[in-house]
Every structure is written in C-alpha cells, then in structure tokens.
Amino acid sequence: ETLRAPLVTAQAEAEARLDFATEEDVDDLDRSGLADAVKVSADRMAELAKTARAGRIRAHGVRVAMYGAPNAGKSTLFNALVGSDRALVDAEPGTTRDLLEAPGLVEGLQITWLDTAGVREDATAVESRGIERALSAAQTADVVLWLVDGSAPDGGLAGPEVDAGRPLVLPYRTKADLDAHEHWRDHPVFAAAATISALREVDVERVKAEVVSAVARIDEPASSWQVVISRDRHAAALLRAAEHAQRAAAALRGGELLELCAADLRDAAEAIAEITGEIAPDDVLEEIFTQFCIGK
C-alpha cells in the first residue's frame, strides 16, 4: 500500500486535469514534482522485487546443485555433504542418471543438496535424459557447485548457464588427494579455484561454509527491507508496476499527453493491487474528490 499510494495520488492528479480542467479548484499540474514521487516509488518497487529470491530462501531453504562432467566427483561430494551414501559411486562414467535430492541443515540454513548426471556429449539415450535434468537443475538452483576432476585433463565442459546472477556458481577442482593435472594451471576459471577432496572432512566443511557465505550474498538485496516477498508472481507484478511507473515518470518530465501518463499510472497501480488483493478504480475517484472541491 505504501508503494501504491503515490501511484494512486499521481493518477488522481493527472485525471483531474483531464476530466475537470475547467473547474476553478484545479490548478496547473506540477509535472516535475509528480514525476519525482512516481520515480521514487518505481525504484522502491524494483528494489523490493529483488528480495524475492532471498525471501524464498528464507521461507523454503536453498537448493544447491552439483554440476560437472562424468567422474568429476559429484556423487562423492554429495554423499559427504549429506553424511550418508545416498548416491552410487563408481569408476564407470555415467553412473548417476537421475536427479537425487537430500535435505540438510548448515548453520541454521535449510539446504536441499542435488546430485546430477554427468554432462557430456556422447551420452546414451537414457543418460541424455538424465543430462537434461542436470541442466535444468543447474539453471533453477540457487547455488551450483561446478566440479572438475583436478587430476584429469579438461573434458571440454562448459559452465552452467547463469541468468542475471542466478545461480551463484562456485567452481572447485576435486580429487585433491591425487596428483594435480597441469592443464588447470592456466584455466580462466579453475586456475584460481579451490582444490578439494570429498574424502577430507575439512574440505567438506569448507564447501558448506562457502555455500552459506554465497547465500548471504543472495540475501543482501533484502537487508534494507523489514519484509521480503517470496513468490515469483509477486516479483513479476512489482517489476511490471515499476516499468509502468518509470514510463509514467518519464512521460511527465517529457511533457507527453496526460492520457498516456494516466494509463501507465493506472496499470502500475493495478499491478500492485494484484498483490494486495484489491483492484478498485473507485480509489482514484475518492482521491480526486478528497483533494479537490469538485462539483460544489
């Protein structure tokens, strides 16, 4: 409601000049001042939308996916993080063909660990289906542990797709208990990546701590808000409202037709009303008759 109020007020100001321009009480519109107020509201809506990911993590926990080529050590690390032999580990490539999930709790943070099939090009039909699930899991996870076998040469595996900072990717060279392969010394990503072994408890604890630290970075946009949103639908509505409000502010400053400004302000307010649960055009009329002595 705090975000929506300036939009309703601005809409009332604009529509009063459109519908009641001849009334004595209706003065000239302060376009600049109104644009500033709408812009502030738009910026805050965009900021609140950014808290959706952090809010979902607070409510439902974080999803952390293993990603890498076959035999990169994903299942071994998964078992170590979970604390039990949930995933089958074997020297034969392609042992994991489905998505495995296991819950965990680290420093009070709810985590769902995801073990995925090894990603490679020359896969069998069944393995390819597992790879599709692995790619999907990596794209929808909050944090991805990108693993490569530090004792073997590069298998040509590209990193997971990252869209607007999601997911956060933590690269690791695994199998630190074996001799390191020289290929990784000059690699653009893994030359500076941490080297770990899932057989060493200290390394497993290090990964857990770094996941918690990564989640803290995700939570940063929410730090300035007393509340956060946790649903993608709400985030989409906020972003839609912010876009309309930004456009209305620009139109007000640019001297464009008030009809266009009012339309964008109306769309912005209605998008917010989808979250609050009340889409009521009467609010605008009430605001008009509250501010102006119209019809008296």
Side-chain angles (χ1 to χ4, degrees):
E1 281 301 322
T2 302
L3 294 171
R4 183 170 176 260
L7 304 177
V8 174
T9 298
Q11 186 184 347
E13 292 275 359
E15 294 195 2
R17 271 73 182 183
L18 292 172
D19 298 336
F20 305 102
T22 59
E23 295 282 344
E24 293 182 1
D25 189 59
V26 179
D27 54 4
D28 292 336
L29 181 64
D30 179 9
R31 281 178 170 262
S32 179
L34 207 58
D36 289 344
V38 172
K39 177 67 164 55
V40 168
S41 186
D43 290 343
R44 292 206 27 98
M45 287 186 288
E47 290 172 5
L48 183 57
K50 294 178 182 178
T51 70
R53 189 175 168 199
R56 182 176 56 76
I57 287 174
R58 292 183 187 184
H60 306 293
V62 61
R63 292 173 66 82
V64 181
M66 315 292 147
Y67 179 87
N71 278 355
K74 299 183 299 300
S75 294
T76 303
L77 180 59
F78 174 79
N79 287 340
L81 292 168
V82 172
S84 64
D85 292 334
R86 288 288 306 276
L88 180 63
V89 177
D90 194 89
E92 179 182 343
T95 304
T96 302
R97 297 189 175 186
D98 207 346
L99 192 66
L100 297 179
E101 297 189 11
L105 189 66
V106 181
E107 297 183 23
L109 176 66
Q110 298 179 60
I111 298 179
T112 299
W113 303 104
L114 307 172
D115 187 25
T116 65
V119 180
R120 61 177 175 176
E121 294 182 357
D122 55 340
T124 63
V126 175
E127 193 179 349
S128 294
R129 293 169 62 185
I131 291 174
E132 289 178 4
R133 296 185 181 185
L135 295 173
S136 176
Q139 291 171 3
T140 58
D142 300 295
V143 178
V144 169
L145 306 183
W146 181 12
L147 310 179
V148 298
D149 183 349
S151 67
D154 180 25
L157 174 66
E161 293 186 11
V162 178
D163 180 20
R166 177 175 182 172
L168 286 176
V169 180
L170 305 180
Y172 292 100
R173 285 185 285 165
T174 63
K175 306 184 182 180
D177 50 302
L178 303 177
D179 292 336
H181 196 282
E182 61 181 9
H183 167 81
W184 304 109
R185 293 176 184 171
D186 300 319
H187 193 279
V189 174
F190 291 98
T195 303
I196 62 169
S197 170
L199 302 179
R200 298 196 298 233
E201 184 176 350
V202 63
D203 287 346
V204 176
E205 293 303 314
R206 174 184 180 179
V207 172
K208 290 181 180 179
E210 290 178 346
V211 167
V212 172
S213 178
V215 173
R217 296 201 299 274
I218 296 174
D219 204 27
E220 283 177 2
S223 61
S224 63
W225 286 86
Q226 292 182 334
V227 296
V228 296
I229 60 174
S230 59
R231 300 190 180 186
D232 290 339
R233 179 177 67 84
H234 292 172
L238 282 165
L239 290 174
R240 192 166 67 252
E243 180 182 357
H244 283 296
Q246 293 277 16
R247 197 155 54 204
L252 284 167
R253 285 201 182 90
E256 297 184 23
L257 290 174
L258 276 182
E259 287 86 349
L260 298 178
C261 302
D264 271 317
L265 290 167
R266 185 184 309 113
D267 288 339
E270 288 182 355
I272 296 298
E274 292 178 16
I275 300 176
T276 61
E278 49 180 325
I279 301 179
D282 288 344
D283 289 357
V284 178
L285 291 176
E286 181 179 352
E287 187 76 12
I288 289 175
F289 287 105
T290 298
Q291 292 184 46
F292 305 99
C293 297
I294 294 171
K296 294 185 179 179

